[in-house]
Structures are given as structure tokens and as C-alpha cells.
Amino acid sequence: MKKYLFIAVTVIILAVVSYFAFVYYVPYSEGVRSGELIKISHKGVVMKTWEGELSQGITGAQIFKFSVSSKRKDVIDKLKEYQGAYVKLNYEERYTTFSWWGDTKYFITEVKLEKSPHFNN
């Protein structure tokens, strides 16, 4: 009986660890989006996460919501600096997320300042 209980507990633990490892290390997709950075905030009561929004059109209908890993201090600093500017964001889309990671499945990996196509300077 103890042998079967040990095997069952081991299988459950391996399944949970495998699920978390898959979600953490395997991105669903990777991409690039450009637009005006309209929001970056550190929000939450118990688990603080970095969240932002990128406007991809003239109207407010095309908003790309994203999260930033707290480990990415360089990305967070650039997002704060480029607030209100036209930027290009590289991101990874995850299969799912957890509340301590962020609100969205899109996680920013790199930020670059871009010239806006709406203004000819």
C-alpha cells in the first residue's frame, strides 16, 4: 500500500513540476508590436506586477495590453523613460500566466525607441 501511495504522490509532483516548467520555459509565440506607449504601472495589493498598454492606432480601439517580468529591470526602466513616446516592443506570448507573473499572457523582452510614422520631422 505504501508503495502505491509513494508512486501516486511522485507522479502528481512530477506532473505539477512539468506543467510549471512548460509554462515558464516554452513561449507560445514571439513577436514585435509598435505604437505609442500610453501606460506603464506597478499594480497589485499582495503580488505587485508591472503592466502596460500600447496604443496601435489613432483611436483607442487598438490597445495592446502587456506585462513585464519584475526580473527585467532594464526593460522596466526604458518603459518608464519612453512613456508617451512611439516605441517598438519585442514580446513573448505564453500559453497561460499566473497571478504573480502578470495580468496578461504577453511579456515584453525588449524596448526600442522608434520614429513615429504619424509625424514627419
Side-chain angles (χ1 to χ4, degrees), residues 63-80:
I63 301 294
F64 173 63
K65 295 183 179 188
F66 60 86
S67 300
V68 183
S69 170
S70 295
K71 297 175 187 174
R72 298 273 191 162
K73 299 292 184 199
D74 58 328
V75 172
I76 293 167
D77 291 340
K78 283 184 181 179
L79 287 169
K80 287 181 194 176

Side-chain angles (χ1 to χ4, degrees), residues 4 33 45 67 93:
Y4 294 116
R33 296 210 184 189
V45 176
S67 300
E93 181 182 2

Side-chain angles (χ1 to χ4, degrees), residues 14-57:
L14 285 175
V16 169
V17 168
S18 297
Y19 174 75
F20 276 97
F22 179 79
V23 168
Y24 186 77
Y25 291 109
V26 180
Y28 178 71
S29 71
E30 296 175 349
V32 178
R33 296 210 184 189
S34 296
E36 182 184 358
L37 182 61
I38 58 174
K39 176 184 171 188
I40 182 70
S41 64
H42 195 213
K43 64 186 241 181
V45 176
V46 177
M47 294 177 248
K48 294 262 191 202
T49 60
W50 285 95
E51 310 297 329
E53 293 181 357
L54 185 77
S55 175
Q56 294 184 282

Side-chain angles (χ1 to χ4, degrees), residues 33-37 82 84-89 111-121:
R33 296 210 184 189
S34 296
E36 182 184 358
L37 182 61
Y82 298 156
Y86 195 85
V87 295
K88 182 182 350 179
L89 304 177
V111 182
K112 293 182 182 175
L113 191 60
E114 289 287 310
K115 185 176 178 182
S116 174
H118 304 295
F119 303 106
N120 294 326
N121 293 339

